[in-house]
Amino acid sequence: MNALKKGLIYLLVFLVLGMPTSSFAQSVRVKDTDQMLKVLREKVRKQYNIPAHDVFLLWNDAELQEKLKSYGAGASLEVDDTDIGNAVKRKTFSFKVMSGDTYKGRIPVRLNIDGWIDVYKASSPVSKGQTLMVSAVEPTRTKISELPFQYVRSPFRIEDFIALQDIPQGSILQPMMLRERLMMKSGDEVSVILLHAGIRLVTKGEALASASRNQTVRVKILIGNNKIVQAQVTNDHEVTVRVD
């Protein structure tokens, strides 16, 4: 496998397992601290795909109301994704002050934002090339601010991955540390599950390529006329074909 293909695979795993989801393209205007906290909590919840009660905010700016009043009775703060990008890594923010469609200036705000997220840590050392075992990995609630840039979210199917490097005990699992385990190799005999109108039939086939779970693979049915079908990998040496 060349370096480009490996890089694309790592990127795909990262996007599926660990990357915070993007959100909140529209700006929102608020007039007081309570509204601000509600908006920020919701935006962090969406960004990291966690429950609202797992987001916590420490408000350090008691003078926000007075600062806003100094711009006039109709003034409000405008909050958008640019303003709170990488929020959990920051201690200060700067929000636009608007009166109708008129820009009035900016107000700096002191605020700590963080949250809890479920990730996986190695509960014991994992050697390079070893298939991950449930006993060697544990889901752990960790502060977002303490996470590396990439991380593996909980839950995921632990035993479907192999370590690409030695993983010390206590390490947060990152996509670059892992690769998907092959469920079959080209030439392996596999069980083919045929599903049609609620009927489930099982026959034998031959995998025509190596594949991991949920990938599509070409399989030759080993009965009748040796028909070749596209099947989804559902387990070790097992594929499923949905027949219309």
Side-chain angles (χ1 to χ4, degrees):
M1 183 182 297
N2 59 39
L4 177 59
K5 189 173 182 180
K6 284 185 177 180
L8 290 173
I9 291 174
Y10 294 155
L11 177 60
L12 179 61
V13 173
F14 166 55
L15 290 173
V16 171
L17 299 178
M19 185 177 180
T21 55
S22 177
S23 58
F24 52 86
Q26 295 183 340
S27 61
V28 178
R29 292 187 182 182
V30 299
K31 290 183 174 294
D32 57 47
T33 302
D34 287 343
Q35 287 181 331
M36 173 70 78
L37 291 174
K38 182 177 180 181
V39 168
L40 293 177
R41 184 182 300 277
E42 177 63 12
K43 290 187 175 182
V44 173
R45 182 194 72 78
K46 288 182 178 179
Q47 183 179 4
Y48 289 94
N49 190 25
I50 58 177
H53 61 259
D54 282 341
V55 180
F56 53 91
L57 305 96
L58 179 61
W59 191 264
N60 297 324
D61 206 323
E63 299 176 355
L64 175 63
Q65 299 291 140
E66 296 303 317
K67 293 177 183 177
L68 189 56
K69 285 180 182 178
S70 69
Y71 285 90
S76 60
L77 292 181
E78 186 171 280
V79 185
D80 60 32
D81 52 342
T82 303
D83 293 324
I84 65 168
N86 201 24
V88 297
K89 302 294 185 181
R90 298 165 56 185
K91 304 300 181 186
T92 61
F93 301 82
S94 179
F95 298 117
K96 288 186 292 186
V97 182
M98 302 293 294
S99 181
D101 294 329
T102 303
Y103 170 76
K104 292 291 188 177
R106 299 189 77 91
I107 292 181
V109 175
R110 298 185 303 275
L111 175 67
N112 289 357
I113 301 177
D114 214 330
W116 294 104
I117 196 165
D118 292 324
V119 297
Y120 280 100
K121 284 187 178 180
S123 55
S124 59
V126 180
S127 299
K128 180 179 179 180
Q130 178 181 336
T131 298
L132 269 63
M133 306 295 292
V134 174
S135 58
V137 177
E138 60 184 1
T140 305
R141 286 174 63 77
T142 303
K143 285 184 178 179
I144 295 173
S145 59
E146 297 175 356
L147 291 173
F149 177 67
Q150 299 180 7
Y151 49 88
V152 176
R153 292 291 299 270
S154 172
F156 87 124
R157 198 183 292 267
I158 295 169
E159 65 276 11
D160 282 1
F161 292 86
I162 292 175
L164 282 173
Q165 62 186 63
D166 292 335
I167 304 175
Q169 182 176 353
S171 299
I172 294 175
L173 295 188
Q174 300 180 58
M176 67 180 65
M177 299 176 176
L178 312 171
R179 70 167 175 84
E180 286 192 275
R181 179 173 63 84
L182 294 177
M183 297 285 172
M184 60 195 62
K185 295 181 180 179
S186 180
D188 285 354
E189 184 176 294
V190 296
S191 295
V192 182
I193 300 172
L194 303 172
L195 299 177
H196 174 67
I199 300 174
R200 182 178 187 271
L201 300 174
V202 180
T203 187
K204 295 296 182 181
E206 178 187 338
L208 300 181
S210 300
S212 302
R213 189 186 301 277
N214 294 326
Q215 289 185 333
T216 299
V217 63
R218 295 171 71 243
V219 174
K220 180 170 67 176
I221 304 298
L222 297 180
I223 59 172
N225 60 358
N226 292 332
K227 182 179 180 180
I228 295 176
V229 298
Q230 296 284 344
Q232 183 181 29
V233 179
T234 48
N235 215 329
D236 284 292
H237 296 95
E238 178 189 280
V239 300
T240 298
V241 179
R242 297 186 180 275
V243 182
D244 295 331

